[in-house]
Amino acid sequence: MVDVKISDILDGKAESDVQLKGWVWNIRFGGGIVFIVLRDGTGTIQCIAKKEELGDKFKELENLTRESSIVIRGRAKKDERAPGGYEIHCKDFDIVYVSEEFPIGKKEHGPAFLLDNRHLVLRSPRYAAIMRIKDTILHGAREWFRENGFTEVTPPIISGNSCEGGSTLFELNYFGKKAYLSQSAQLYLEALIFSLGKVYSITPSFRAEKSRTRRHLAEYWHIEAEEPWTTEEENEKIEENLVFHIIRKVLDERKRELSMFRDPSTLERIQKPFPRIKYSEVINTLQKNGYDIKWGDDLGADEEYFISKKFDSPFFIQNFPKEAKAFYMKRLDEKLVKCADMIAPEGYGEMIGGSERETDVDVLIKRLEEQEENIENYKWYLDLRRYGSVSHSGFGLGTERMVWWICKLDHIRDTIPFPRVINRYYP
Ligand code: NSS
């Protein structure tokens, strides 16, 4: 009898006598027959145990509860009527541990209860599918960067300065001095291009977002890249190729999981190049549709939702006014900067923020002063412009924003196993 994973059976790779190790996701008792939905971390499958086949041992199954751990031996059979297209005819089993009554029932629970019991809720096939899609997204990103000459680096998480402005900084007591949790690895990646050329990192980023929204986490996983000798136009092509590769990889590797959330053909239809529109066009469209927004304002969640609904492929919004963006972005003219946000379609919203970086030290100092930053903390960063400065660009992709869109979820907190938001860090 061979040890197999449920996914092997569902993929049609193991139609024979098998041994499965897993947990009881669901159990139903009929006269002389027990239906067990088993899950093992790779999938779920229905196992059928009959009294007429198991004899006296059948009685042991009467004690079985949801989430009990069990080893089941039997025959895997194709059956179109079974969920997943396969089922197991149980010939023998060992109950390893009979679970106490599992607090997550079949009935509806409120969101607070589910979040308090997140460590248990994560066992559901829905969360397993989301986490597996996320695994493919992270793996796909690393694969694309490696194939395209980027080196992975490990920037610090504790920093003495801000990157995206003071309002969302988490402050930390660093041996009696003030430090911050990183909002972005960008400034450190900018230092590393001089040593390595194209670089990228995948790190947690922290934002003290003080409001409850469906798209903000206090801690998220940031995929960031920085490229020397690169203009904003070229930077956008890099972002587009990376995102396209990741989408293809999810379609290749995770179609079964993806089908739990959306029709995969909606992602198959996405083509390069992604549409590109200007910030000014967006403002015009919004004003024509009755939004109370003026040129110069940043786009809020409602405005982004409205624009994003008009697309079924990711797209770029280019050239924001400098007041709406961070200090480091290169000027296009007196008013605009060389930047673009990549927006996820279907009503989701910003997934990537990217830009060409300002190379003029004096402009950087002026912008930092305008934002009331302490220049002392940025001395090291300004040095990067003094010694061998070159045009360069980069971007940050919010991994969870991408999972949120790809899985068409209501709330971003479902994209991360243990979400950190304004009112929660338990469990
Ligand atoms: O603030 S960003 O728009 N840009 C940066 O941090 C740059 N310094 C990145 C770079 O050029 N290296 O954030 C980038 C992305 C943004 O598009 C979102 O997808 C994501 O990071 N992001 C978030 N995801 C989840 N929760 C929160 N609070 C959040 N904030 C940004």
Side-chain angles (χ1 to χ4, degrees):
M1 195 114 1
V2 272
D3 253 329
V4 299
K5 296 287 169 217
I6 292 175
S7 58
D8 294 335
I9 300 172
L10 300 179
D11 290 340
K13 292 187 205 150
E15 212 175 320
S16 62
D17 286 334
V18 295
Q19 171 167 283
L20 290 170
K21 294 175 175 160
W23 296 268
V24 176
W25 171 243
N26 201 2
I27 185 158
R28 226 160 20 95
F29 298 93
I33 187 164
V34 176
F35 297 93
I36 297 167
V37 179
L38 191 76
R39 52 165 203 88
D40 72 347
T42 72
T44 57
I45 197 163
Q46 175 160 276
C47 306
I48 297 170
K50 290 184 179 158
K51 188 172 183 181
E52 62 189 42
E53 280 163 23
L54 292 165
D56 283 351
K57 196 157 183 195
F58 185 79
K59 266 221 291 291
E60 286 178 35
L61 291 174
E62 285 167 11
N63 299 324
L64 212 54
T65 50
R66 291 182 58 230
E67 287 309 311
S68 294
S69 27
I70 187 169
V71 180
I72 291 182
R73 289 174 284 278
R75 194 165 182 82
K77 278 199 181 148
K78 208 174 165 82
D79 185 334
E80 296 304 337
R81 290 162 305 171
Y86 286 86
E87 58 188 20
I88 305 289
H89 290 258
C90 176
K91 291 181 179 165
D92 189 19
F93 60 85
D94 298 314
I95 295 174
V96 178
Y97 190 96
V98 175
S99 173
E100 290 178 31
E101 191 183 346
F102 198 55
I104 322 292
K106 286 272 151 283
K107 66 173 169 32
E108 287 280 308
H109 295 289
F113 177 86
L114 291 172
L115 284 165
D116 284 340
N117 286 284
R118 187 71 163 200
H119 50 297
L120 303 176
V121 170
L122 291 173
R123 298 180 184 195
S124 88
R126 177 174 182 270
Y127 285 99
I130 296 169
M131 289 189 280
R132 253 186 237 112
I133 289 170
K134 192 173 189 177
D135 159 72
T136 296
I137 290 174
L138 289 166
H139 189 79
R142 285 204 162 88
E143 187 177 71
W144 189 88
F145 281 127
R146 284 209 114 186
E147 280 169 7
N148 287 279
F150 286 74
T151 302
E152 182 164 6
V153 294
T154 55
I157 299 299
I158 298 173
S159 178
N161 49 258
S162 134
C163 180
E164 296 299 324
S167 68
T168 62
L169 270 181
F170 273 111
E171 205 176 296
L172 182 79
N173 177 343
Y174 191 73
F175 305 109
K177 290 211 172 96
K178 224 187 243 184
Y180 310 98
L181 291 176
S182 172
Q183 297 166 307
S184 162
Q186 178 190 325
L187 307 188
Y188 297 100
L189 297 187
E190 284 188 61
L192 292 167
I193 57 171
F194 295 90
S195 156
L196 293 164
K198 294 186 281 188
V199 292
Y200 77 100
S201 61
I202 303 183
T203 61
S205 275
F206 302 87
R207 305 277 168 115
E209 303 280 357
K210 290 168 195 88
S211 54
R212 284 197 212 189
T213 77
R214 294 188 309 127
R215 61 178 187 163
H216 287 105
L217 293 164
E219 178 183 65
Y220 70 97
W221 285 81
H222 210 166
I223 301 174
E224 291 179 272
E226 198 68 29
E227 316 103 25
W229 318 103
T230 303
T231 61
E232 170 51 21
E233 210 178 10
E234 294 160 332
N235 189 39
E236 286 164 29
K237 289 208 180 99
I238 291 171
E239 295 170 25
E240 181 175 76
N241 287 331
L242 168 70
V243 167
F244 188 76
H245 176 82
I246 294 174
I247 293 170
R248 289 276 136 192
K249 181 121 185 138
V250 171
L251 285 165
D252 277 356
E253 263 182 18
R254 301 293 186 201
K255 212 169 234 166
R256 192 167 53 233
E257 287 85 356
L258 197 59
S259 306
M260 294 169 69
F261 305 103
R262 66 153 74 231
D263 172 1
S265 70
T266 52
L267 295 184
E268 266 154 10
R269 285 199 286 272
I270 292 171
Q271 297 293 338
K272 287 187 291 187
F274 299 165
R276 285 154 165 80
I277 49 173
K278 302 280 180 209
Y279 165 85
S280 303
E281 291 172 55
V282 171
I283 296 297
N284 280 340
T285 309
L286 288 167
Q287 286 173 341
K288 275 191 202 132
N289 284 277
Y291 281 85
D292 180 22
I293 190 166
K294 56 181 191 310
W295 198 96
D297 292 346
D298 202 1
L299 305 179
D302 290 348
E303 288 95 15
E304 233 175 63
Y305 175 81
F306 177 80
I307 297 295
S308 159
K309 269 278 190 198
K310 296 186 174 299
F311 290 83
D312 46 22
S313 150
F315 62 101
F316 290 99
I317 303 179
Q318 300 166 315
N319 304 134
F320 282 71
K322 69 177 196 305
E323 291 74 21
K325 291 291 179 189
F327 76 93
Y328 52 70
M329 292 189 182
K330 192 174 174 72
R331 291 150 307 154
L332 174 68
D333 53 32
E334 277 311 303
K335 289 178 171 170
L336 302 174
V337 285
K338 293 188 180 180
C339 75
D341 287 350
M342 189 196 287
I343 313 292
E346 305 172 309
Y348 280 85
E350 185 191 330
M351 186 160 66
I352 294 185
S355 63
E356 192 169 326
R357 317 308 193 188
E358 183 56 68
T359 45
D360 185 319
V361 183
D362 295 327
V363 174
L364 282 171
I365 293 175
K366 192 161 156 276
R367 302 244 16 228
L368 283 166
E369 280 169 354
E370 278 165 11
Q371 300 190 0
E372 294 174 13
E373 293 285 351
N374 180 358
I375 303 291
E376 276 302 295
N377 295 341
Y378 293 86
K379 257 172 67 190
W380 70 270
Y381 181 70
L382 299 171
D383 273 353
L384 307 179
R385 306 299 189 267
R386 298 183 203 276
Y387 306 108
S389 186
V390 293
S391 71
H392 62 290
S393 302
F395 62 91
L397 162 63
T399 312
E400 287 75 14
R401 292 272 177 94
M402 190 173 200
V403 177
W404 185 43
W405 161 59
I406 285 188
C407 295
K408 286 193 106 172
L409 302 173
D410 283 342
H411 201 298
I412 198 168
R413 65 178 174 228
D414 283 351
T415 63
I416 191 156
F418 297 99
R420 276 30 183 151
V421 289
I422 184 161
N423 55 349
R424 176 170 296 277
Y425 55 91
Y426 174 94

